[in-house]
Amino acid sequence: MLGFLINPNKFNKLTDIILKPLFYLTAVIFLIGLILIYYSPNDYQQGSTVRIMYIHVPSAWLALLTYSIMTIYSIFALAFRIPFGFIINSAVAPIGAVFTLVCLVSGSLWGKPMWGTWWVWDARLTSVAILFIVYLIIIFINYSFEKIEVKEKIIAIFVVIGSINLPIIKFSVDWWNTLHQPASISKLSSPSIDPSMLKPLIAMTLAFTFIGLIIAILRIKTEIILRKKSI
Amino acid sequence: MQLINKIIIFFVKEFKISIKNLSDLFTNIVFFFLSIFIFIFSIGPDKQVLSTFGIGILWALLLLSSTLSLKKYYHDDFNNGSLIIMHMGGLSYEFIAILKIISHFIFVQLPFLITIPIASLFVNLPYSKIILLLISFFIGSLVLSCLGSIAASMNLLNKRNFTLSSLIVMVFSIPVIIFSVGLAQSQENILSLLNILFAILLIFISISPWTSAVCIRLALANS
């Protein structure tokens, strides 16, 4: 049932079926999200710049999600010797890096009109910047070893050690008194955001997740083909 | 008894090698001093400015100059086969990593500890700050040795860009830098910051031997 999560052949078979419908679904959700953003209300303090949130929050969520998936796969790959985890690591890292960069850039474009500066050395911003550098180091490791068996294991070990950063990013707004606003959507009680803004946000988050998923599937397929060729 | 003999032999060997390569150590120390001078030339010799930024400058430059010696960490032992010989002599790779961390701490980091009081004269630090800086560096350099062990063993087979290992050390050393500079600059809550530093030290001491052993085994199997 869940064999496609660890078996390259089953993954290939499933994604051959899934890829095209997923593509159309993503396009539809993305369009709906954009329309909802167009009709969403302005914030009473921030005005129209609040619409940056609909790009900023999904990309931040995806940056963390990608790293968590990589961590889980590396632990499983190292512990149970599942080579598919290594494939995922080297395929998915650039996607995470790009989404982290999008998150950083959109955040700093949002910060300039709201906070008055492009960059603040605040706990959340700093930890996300470190996450970006960790992604970059993963990509560098990917290109600096000759043997593929060494490279993949070292990436997995590095990913596991670097996952110390994840809880720091998630809880930095709660632990330290920061300029970045605290979590308003993933609060356990009830989200402190208006439904008229929550709907486009959810649509955009879904759309971004599916976009990331499509790119990931394509990259994983390429990686599988490359490895088959090299063997 | 036999184990203690092996440990003593290991440290004697490390001591002889470090005496032989004394010029490397002095090069690192001169790099440290020269970078302090260049820092002072670039921000200007104002005494007030220097005493506020001094601790941060010293810590950052200590970190940078300790990453210079990463290439010496496992590479020589790996290339001339001493790692395999030590393993055949009955030491596990984890234990070799622990011994290496301690020897790196003694023979590479401790000489910097001696130079810190001299270096802090240049940046006009008060006496009480120097003691705090020494305490923070004593703990922080042990963490840096652990990180160096992880980074150097990861890059044993890396022939293209070895600078990667310094990047790995610098990324993971960010909490150490934050809390040790905080400790050196704090007035009241010294004990709590010291506890946090010890916690970071314990985390890295528990992680690094296993990680280094895994990476060394990987490198030996694929070399």
Side-chain angles (χ1 to χ4, degrees), chain A residues 14-36:
Chain A
L14 184 77
T15 48
D16 280 341
I17 307 166
I18 254 181
L19 197 56
K20 243 180 190 171
L22 194 61
F23 190 75
Y24 292 123
L25 183 68
T26 313
V28 170
I29 294 177
F30 197 59
L31 269 180
I32 292 174
L34 287 180
I35 293 168
L36 279 178

Side-chain angles (χ1 to χ4, degrees), chain B residues 123-186:
Chain B
V123 293
N124 196 24
L125 282 184
Y127 178 69
S128 58
K129 292 272 174 71
I130 295 175
I131 294 175
L132 284 178
L133 184 63
L134 284 176
I135 295 171
S136 72
F137 183 70
F138 192 79
I139 303 166
S141 62
L142 204 48
V143 182
L144 289 185
S145 295
C146 294
L147 288 175
S149 160
I150 294 177
S153 61
M154 270 184 181
N155 288 290
L156 274 177
L157 290 181
N158 183 354
K159 295 194 178 69
R160 286 190 203 155
N161 60 346
F162 199 80
T163 325
L164 203 58
S165 59
S166 351
L167 282 191
I168 294 173
V169 169
M170 277 151 78
V171 160
F172 290 129
S173 71
I174 289 167
V176 186
I177 288 280
I178 291 173
F179 288 111
S180 27
V181 173
L183 172 67
Q185 278 179 341
S186 70

Side-chain angles (χ1 to χ4, degrees), chain A residues 1-7 10 73:
Chain A
M1 179 64 195
L2 289 172
F4 70 93
L5 284 178
I6 51 170
N7 188 332
K10 283 180 185 172
Y73 263 109

Side-chain angles (χ1 to χ4, degrees), chain A residues 5-6 64-80 82 84-86 88-89 156 159-160 163 166:
Chain A
L5 284 178
I6 51 170
L64 287 187
L65 179 74
T66 313
Y67 203 91
S68 322
I69 290 174
M70 282 167 69
T71 312
I72 293 168
Y73 263 109
S74 339
I75 291 171
F76 273 91
L78 286 173
F80 303 112
I82 303 166
F84 191 56
F86 299 131
I88 288 211
N89 270 344
V159 167
V160 173
S163 66
L166 284 186

Side-chain angles (χ1 to χ4, degrees), chain A residues 115-158:
Chain A
W115 297 342
T117 56
W118 299 105
W119 186 263
V120 195
W121 287 105
D122 149 308
R124 163 103 8 133
L125 277 70
T126 314
S127 49
V128 174
I130 293 168
L131 180 69
F132 180 59
I133 294 172
V134 168
Y135 272 126
L136 284 188
I137 291 178
I138 293 170
I139 297 171
F140 293 156
I141 295 177
N142 206 356
Y143 285 108
S144 55
F145 282 92
E146 281 148 11
K147 279 198 175 177
I148 207 162
E149 305 92 30
V150 184
K151 176 186 93 179
E152 60 189 19
K153 275 177 191 146
I154 284 184
I155 289 178
I157 294 167
F158 183 76

Side-chain angles (χ1 to χ4, degrees), chain B residues 110-124:
Chain B
L110 278 190
F112 280 105
L113 200 67
I114 300 165
T115 62
I116 286 176
I118 307 166
S120 56
L121 292 180
F122 292 118
V123 293
N124 196 24

